[in-house]
Amino acid sequence: MPRVTLPTAPVPTVQAAALAAVNVRHSFGELTVLHGVSLRVAAGEVVAVTGPSGSGKSTLLHLLGGLDVPQEGEVWWAGERADTQDTQARATRRAGRVGLVFQHHYLLEDLNVLDNVRVPALLSGQDGTERARELLARVGLAGREKALPGVLSGGERQRVAVARALASRPAVVLADEPTGSLDRVNADMVAALLIDLARENQAGVLLVTHDERLAARADRTLHLLDGRMVEGG
Ligand SMILES: Nc1ncnc2c1ncn2[C@@H]1O[C@H](COP(=O)(O)OP(=O)(O)O)[C@@H](O)[C@H]1O
Ligand SMILES: [Mg+2]
């Protein structure tokens, strides 16, 4: 029998990747949390990151999302360096390029659902109403545009967070245990929406998860152990 091997997707260069980290090192005081992490995520690719508690997953996601700057190494979003020390410049670059989903959806409690999803558009000087309505319909929240986050269930809030993360059609989507606070049914629904919408948008997705079922939906899994990345899965 001839052996059939499926072609593996070519690894993009750092500049061509949706998301790349090059030798990222980071410490908190004496504690070195990341010891030179490198990774590349292609456009349209979904990569899961697993690892024990304390292995540096959230720290890595913060650095990849430009919420903090690595002490050493580089972060790239769609061919552009993200790791500038200028906080304002970083926020501006992030606005149209990166969508973030955390375990505890940071929704703005005084804004209704529609406006929460419009925030990324408003920050980049656009209206965003049409895209927000379309995304809310996709996540099953048509008709809830005027609701304040406080009246929503945990699963509904997380679906709003997913819609918001995709609103500006970002090249990069980063999710830190996005389903960690949800029951199984809601977790599966949120995970499926996040992955489907990101793939449709050709975003590169990096998602941190403890949930093996969620990791199984990814194209590839990376393991973080004591601040070092090991390929797997
Ligand atoms: N802001 C911080 N200041 C000091 N130590 C931190 C800070 N953030 C994280 N750490 C430490 O860095 C290590 C990795 O944390 P984290 O990235 O949250 O891991 P994970 O998400 O994999 O559980 C832990 O030992 C944690 O205590
Ligand atoms: Mg964490």
Side-chain angles (χ1 to χ4, degrees):
M1 281 281 283
R3 204 184 146 82
V4 178
T5 43
L6 293 171
T8 48
V11 179
T13 63
V14 165
Q15 286 84 357
L19 171 69
V22 184
N23 253 321
V24 166
R25 256 183 69 89
H26 202 69
S27 308
F28 295 109
E30 299 281 276
L31 178 71
T32 300
V33 176
L34 299 172
H35 298 265
V37 170
S38 298
L39 58 87
R40 293 174 209 174
V41 180
E45 188 183 29
V46 177
V47 176
V49 177
T50 63
S53 181
S55 56
K57 304 182 298 297
S58 292
T59 303
L60 178 64
L61 238 68
H62 269 77
L63 299 174
L64 295 176
L67 302 174
D68 202 351
V69 187
Q71 279 147 357
E72 285 177 38
E74 301 169 6
V75 175
W76 293 74
W77 297 326
E80 185 166 6
R81 282 289 286 271
D83 50 299
T84 165
Q85 291 290 341
D86 179 342
T87 309
Q88 190 55 51
R90 233 164 48 234
T92 308
R93 276 179 213 178
R94 182 171 60 235
R97 292 185 177 84
V98 184
L100 303 169
V101 185
F102 294 106
Q103 178 170 359
H104 300 286
H105 32 66
Y106 293 100
L107 302 180
L108 299 168
E109 301 295 331
D110 297 334
L111 294 186
N112 68 29
V113 163
L114 182 72
D115 289 340
N116 264 281
V117 178
R118 286 174 67 214
V119 162
L122 297 173
L123 287 176
S124 38
Q126 288 151 9
D127 177 64
T129 304
E130 200 177 320
R131 170 84 175 146
R133 285 187 182 282
E134 173 197 318
L135 280 166
L136 284 168
R138 285 297 306 277
V139 301
L141 291 172
R144 306 302 300 278
E145 290 88 354
K146 293 263 160 58
L148 289 174
V151 306
L152 302 180
S153 71
E156 289 172 331
R157 291 171 65 93
Q158 204 61 324
R159 283 186 270 145
V160 175
V162 166
R164 180 182 57 189
L166 275 299
S168 59
R169 301 181 195 279
V172 182
V173 174
L174 301 170
D176 195 353
E177 304 195 28
T179 63
S181 62
L182 303 177
D183 62 57
R184 193 166 168 145
V185 171
N186 274 297
D188 284 356
M189 186 184 200
V190 166
L193 286 166
L194 174 63
I195 290 175
D196 289 353
L197 289 172
R199 283 201 174 118
E200 273 172 36
N201 281 272
Q202 284 292 297
V205 181
L206 197 74
L207 64 91
V208 168
T209 184
H210 283 299
D211 182 345
E212 287 183 9
R213 285 142 47 87
L214 177 48
R217 292 175 186 266
D219 298 310
R220 185 153 72 85
T221 301
L222 301 169
H223 300 293
L224 199 57
L225 280 180
D226 293 333
R228 290 185 174 86
M229 202 59 104
V230 212
E231 187 101 26

